Amino acid sequence: MTAPTVSEEELPVEPEPAAGWAPTRALGRAVLVTGLLLIAGVLLGRVDLVVLAAPFALGTAYALRRRPTAAPQLWLTGDEAQLVEGGELAGTVTVGNPDTIGYDVAVVRARVSPWLHVTRASFAGAVTDLSRAGGADRPFVTTVPTRAAVDLELGGVARRWGRHPVGPAGTRVAAADGLLLSPVVATEPVRVRVYPRTEPFKAVEAMPRAAGLVGAHHSRRPGEGGELAGVRVFGPGDRLRRIDWRVSLRARQLHVASTLSDRDAEVVVLLDVLAETGRSGGVDGAASVLDTTVRAAAAIGEHYLHRGDRVAMLEYGPAARRLRPATGRRQYLTLLEWLLDVRAESSPHEPYDQVFGPQLLSADALVVVLTPLLDERSAQMLARLARGGRFVVAVDTLPADLPPPGRQGWAEVAFRLWRLDRDTMIGQLREHGVPVVRWAGAGSLDQVLRDVARLATAPRIGGR
C-alpha cells in the first residue's frame, strides 16, 4: 500500500469510511487486488490465489479498524507586535488532532503576501531554508500524534508597509495506514500590520503662526516663554523673579524682563492620492509615489508630535479620509494605523469641495501637501489654498529617476515634453506663492519653513 498525496484523486469504493473521510487510491487498489484474487481463485479452483489474497484482506481490515472519527483542526496566527518595514516577521500555522487515532501524514500549505518575504520554516522540529526554495507557498508534510498539535512556524522579513495577509492556509491528513483521507480544512487569512519605516526627520522650529496656549514654538505674543522680548516698567501681575535689577537701579524705577510666549502649532499633512506611478521595490528597493508619500507623512507627523504640536491628516482623493488634529503618542499610533489604509485612486470628479468643503482648515495651520503633481487638479488645489491665505508647502514625491514609459516611436520625446510641462506648472505654483520642494528626508523643509515663517511675520502693506 502506498501513501496518498493531496493532489491524488479518490475512488469511492467499499467499505464505507467514517463520515467526512474519503477513501484513497491505496484503499481502492487493496480492495481491487483482493477481489480479483478471490474471484480468480474461485473460478479457477486455486487455493493459492485465495491464500495470496488473505494478507491484502487482513491488512486492509486491520487498518480500517483504527478509523478516525473527527476532522483535523487548523489555526492561523500572525505577528501581533508592532512590525516595521524591514523587521522580523513571525507567523504560525497549527494543525491539531482531536482524535484518538494518530495521523500518518499531514500536508499543510499556506499562502503569504509577496511583501512578506518568508525565509525559513520550522515544522515538527525540522527547519527549512526557504530563501531559495520558492518561499512559503509550498506543501509541508509531517505526522500528528493523537490529541496533539504541531506548529508550522514561518519567519522572514516584512518588505513593505500595509496590511498584508498571512493565509489562507489549508491542510489535509491521511490516516488508517494511508487508506483514508480527511476533507480539506482551511482557515481565513489574518492581516499583519506593517508600519512604514521613517527616516530620522528634523526641521527648523520656524512656524508661520503658533496658535495654541503652550508649546515649543516662539510666538509674537507676550507671555511666559524663554525668548526675551525687551524690558518694560513693572506692572500689576508681574512676577518678582522677572525684575531686571540693573535697569531698575539705573532708572530708579522697577523694570521687568518681557518674554514671548511659547505656543504649539497645528500641522495638516495632506496626501495627494489621485495618481500613483513608479514601481515599489520594498524597503530596500525603489520607492513609488505612494511609498514616498506614506513614509514622508509618517516622518513629518512623528517629528511634530514629538515636539508637542497638533497633527492632522487629510487625503486628497475620492475617499477624502480625515484624521482629526491631536497631540501625543496616542495620536502618533493612530496616525500610523491611518496611513496603513492609504490607497491611490483616480477619480473623474473634482475632490476639492469634498475634502475642504464642510470642514475648513484652521487659519493658523501649516499645510504640508505631499503630491507628485501628476494631475492638474492637484496644482489647482494648491493654488486655491494659497489664494485663501493658507500657509502651504508642497512636497514633490515624484521619483527623481522615473524612467520613460518606453523607447519606441515618440515615447521618449513625449516624456521629455511632459517633464517640461510639469516644470512649467511648478514654476507657476511658485509664482502663486506656493513653495515646492523635493522630499529628501531630514532637512527637506528647513529653508521653505524659514521662508514661510518670514512671510507670515512680515508687515502687511495697505492693511492687507
Side-chain angles (χ1 to χ4, degrees):
M1 293 180 289
T2 59
T5 60
V6 175
S7 60
E8 292 180 335
E9 299 178 357
E10 305 148 10
L11 297 175
V13 295
E14 296 294 333
E16 187 69 20
W21 290 74
T24 65
R25 285 188 174 183
L27 178 57
R29 286 192 292 266
V31 173
L32 180 61
V33 170
T34 303
L36 290 177
L37 290 175
L38 289 176
I39 293 174
V42 172
L43 293 178
L44 300 177
R46 296 182 55 178
V47 182
D48 57 338
L49 294 180
V50 177
V51 174
L52 187 61
F56 291 95
L58 294 176
T60 303
Y62 179 78
L64 292 178
R65 186 179 62 85
R66 299 179 292 110
R67 292 181 296 179
T69 57
Q73 297 176 337
L74 189 66
W75 300 277
L76 182 61
T77 57
D79 198 337
E80 298 181 357
Q82 292 184 357
L83 190 60
V84 184
E85 288 179 305
E88 289 292 327
L89 166 73
T92 305
V93 183
T94 304
V95 182
N97 180 6
D99 213 320
T100 57
I101 305 299
Y103 297 152
D104 300 323
V105 177
V107 181
V108 182
R109 193 165 190 172
R111 290 184 178 179
V112 181
S113 168
W115 294 116
L116 302 177
H117 183 50
V118 178
T119 57
R120 64 186 182 277
S122 176
F123 204 12
V127 180
T128 305
D129 185 6
L130 301 178
S131 55
R132 298 183 180 179
D137 190 12
R138 51 171 293 179
F140 297 91
V141 181
T142 187
T143 60
V144 183
T146 60
R147 299 191 181 277
V150 178
D151 293 336
L152 169 61
E153 298 179 355
L154 303 175
V157 179
R159 299 176 54 197
R160 191 174 185 260
W161 58 272
R163 303 181 191 272
H164 302 297
V166 176
T171 184
R172 205 168 194 183
V173 303
D177 292 338
L179 299 181
L180 298 179
L181 198 63
S182 74
V184 177
V185 178
T187 182
E188 293 295 326
V190 296
R191 298 282 176 174
V192 175
R193 296 172 295 180
V194 181
Y195 298 118
R197 187 173 71 177
T198 58
E199 299 177 359
F201 174 74
K202 294 182 179 179
V204 296
E205 295 184 6
M207 293 294 288
R209 192 174 297 163
L213 298 178
V214 293
H217 301 287
H218 302 307
S219 71
R220 293 178 294 173
R221 300 180 182 180
E224 295 295 328
E227 184 175 356
L228 184 65
V231 180
R232 58 177 175 80
V233 178
F234 182 88
D238 289 334
R239 298 186 178 184
L240 297 180
R241 64 184 180 88
R242 293 287 188 182
I243 296 177
D244 191 326
W245 293 105
R246 287 187 177 183
V247 178
S248 298
L249 291 175
R250 189 166 55 249
R252 298 183 179 275
Q253 187 178 7
L254 287 179
H255 284 69
V256 294
S258 177
T259 57
L260 297 177
S261 62
D262 294 334
R263 300 186 172 228
D264 67 348
E266 181 177 335
V267 180
V268 178
V269 183
L270 179 61
L271 283 67
D272 180 6
V273 294
L274 288 178
E276 161 73 324
T277 188
R279 179 173 296 179
S280 177
V283 64
D284 296 323
S288 66
V289 166
L290 206 60
D291 289 341
T292 304
T293 299
V294 170
R295 292 165 186 163
I300 294 173
E302 180 184 17
H303 169 74
Y304 285 109
L305 287 173
H306 182 71
R307 296 186 56 82
D309 296 323
R310 301 185 305 278
V311 176
M313 289 279 170
L314 284 176
E315 268 190 8
Y316 187 69
R321 296 192 308 132
R322 174 184 297 267
L323 179 64
R324 295 181 178 179
T327 61
R329 178 171 175 79
R330 183 177 180 180
Q331 176 70 357
Y332 177 60
L333 296 177
T334 305
L335 180 149
L336 291 179
E337 289 284 341
W338 188 87
L339 288 175
L340 295 183
D341 297 320
V342 174
R343 297 291 181 271
E345 295 182 70
S346 60
S347 173
H349 307 290
E350 170 60 58
Y352 187 88
D353 295 334
Q354 186 176 359
V355 176
F356 302 105
Q359 301 91 358
L360 298 179
L361 296 177
S362 172
D364 298 324
L366 170 65
V367 184
V368 181
V369 183
L370 301 170
T371 174
L373 291 173
L374 295 174
D375 197 311
E376 291 185 1
R377 292 173 294 180
S378 302
Q380 295 172 1
M381 175 266 295
L382 290 169
R384 290 184 189 179
L385 290 177
R387 287 197 300 265
R390 308 298 179 187
F391 303 106
V392 185
V393 175
V395 180
D396 187 5
T397 58
L398 189 71
D401 55 350
L402 184 67
R407 298 187 178 277
Q408 297 180 353
W410 296 92
E412 189 171 353
V413 177
F415 182 74
R416 292 171 58 187
L417 291 175
W418 171 80
R419 277 284 193 183
L420 292 174
D421 182 66
R422 185 174 181 274
D423 293 340
T424 303
M425 181 174 60
I426 293 176
Q428 292 175 349
L429 285 175
R430 287 170 176 163
E431 292 178 357
H432 280 78
V434 180
V436 181
V437 59
R438 182 173 296 278
W439 175 255
S444 301
L445 310 181
D446 284 358
Q447 186 58 43
V448 174
L449 290 178
R450 290 192 187 97
D451 295 341
V452 173
R454 191 182 304 114
L455 291 174
T457 57
R460 305 198 176 191
I461 300 176
R464 295 183 180 181

